[in-house]
Amino acid sequence: MGWENVRDEGRAADRALRSEVAAAVPVNAAQLPAAGLLWLLRSVTQDQYGAGTGGAFGPALLLVFAPLLLPLLGLFASLVLTLPATLLARPALRRYGGPEWAWRLAGAVATAVGWGAVTAALWHWPFATTAAVLTGLGVLPALALPYVRTRTWSQWGLWWRSALACAGLFALALGGGLGAVAAGLIKQYEPPKLTTAQLAGVWHGPSGAVLRLYPSGRAEATRLPAEPSDDGTATDVVLCDGAGRWEPGPAPDGTKRDGVLLKLDRSCGADTHWSISGTEHDPELFVLFGDPDAGTLWTLKRKT
């Protein structure tokens, strides 16, 4: 009899979790368009390193396929964020009591911090930013699910309410974003202006890349990427060791972004224009090889 009770409790817990995920999918889907819009508004304050955006074609595709994508993305968010937060919150709620939403919110924060640590360790994503974004995505499910679970709505009724909430959240995000732009709180990124003296120094990049720029105009490179000077396609990159000359100036392709035109000796690849990025206090040099929409980005940071 005791074993049957354990199995019945296990089945009941399994059904409760499935019901939780089913309710969480529309809730998570409702917030994703607004979250995507906020991410897009934030992206204008960040340097895109000359990468293309695909024009209006990409957003048009998203609008066309949104009815199919949102349930899938909502399911993914529910499994990755809401379900772990629920598994953390329920035992604490049973043991210590208190408001359910508070424990759910604590579970959402703990889940976000956990994923932030994982992504920082595996892919070197910024921990604080990742944890903050994931926490933001976990707030609405944490607050809404205790209410949703008390309703007698059908799955269809939950989804059309989710659609209304989605439209409202998107309108709120759009109005707030446009207001922030009009008030000057959101400004488009502009690269810093660096003098020749500021450009001179030692710059380091991935794969052991080193670029030394001397005030005299001399340059030395170690494992520095460049396009082949002959018989190479636009996506080929060679790593060069050599010396040459450098001079500040805008990019030759008419983008008007200041940078460094590097001319290495020994036929070590074609001349390369390294564009300025970052900030005045933390500058970067970058070059994008290949297609602007799917090229290879190399960045160099100045050694402090």
Side-chain angles (χ1 to χ4, degrees), residues 61 63 77 109 130 134 157 168 170 197 218 225 241 249 261 267 286 296:
L61 279 180
L63 289 176
V109 173
T130 304
L134 295 181
F170 188 85
R218 188 167 63 90
D241 295 328
L261 180 59
S267 300
F286 79 90
T296 302

Side-chain angles (χ1 to χ4, degrees), residues 8 24 33-35 84 91 95 97 106 117 125 147 165 167 178 184 192 211 213 234 236 241 281:
D8 290 342
R95 181 169 183 177
W125 293 7
Y147 173 78
L178 293 178
L211 175 61
L213 302 178
D236 289 333
D241 295 328
H281 299 291

Side-chain angles (χ1 to χ4, degrees), residues 23-148:
V25 172
V27 174
N28 277 300
Q31 67 179 339
L32 292 179
L37 177 61
L38 293 177
W39 175 84
L40 182 63
L41 289 172
R42 180 184 179 277
S43 69
V44 303
T45 67
Q46 308 294 315
D47 193 357
Q48 301 304 308
Y49 296 104
T53 60
F57 185 66
L61 279 180
L62 287 177
L63 289 176
V64 171
F65 290 104
L68 297 177
L69 288 176
L70 283 180
L72 294 177
L73 293 176
L75 176 61
F76 178 77
S78 299
L79 294 176
V80 173
L81 297 176
T82 308
L83 183 57
T86 300
L87 293 175
L88 291 173
R90 281 189 172 179
L93 178 63
R94 286 196 299 266
R95 181 169 183 177
Y96 300 106
E100 181 180 356
W101 65 266
W103 285 113
R104 285 181 175 273
L105 192 59
V109 173
T111 301
V113 170
W115 280 119
V118 170
T119 55
L122 295 181
W123 300 295
H124 306 291
W125 293 7
F127 169 77
T129 301
T130 304
V133 170
L134 295 181
T135 297
L137 291 175
V139 169
L140 181 61
L143 299 178
L145 281 177
Y147 173 78
V148 170

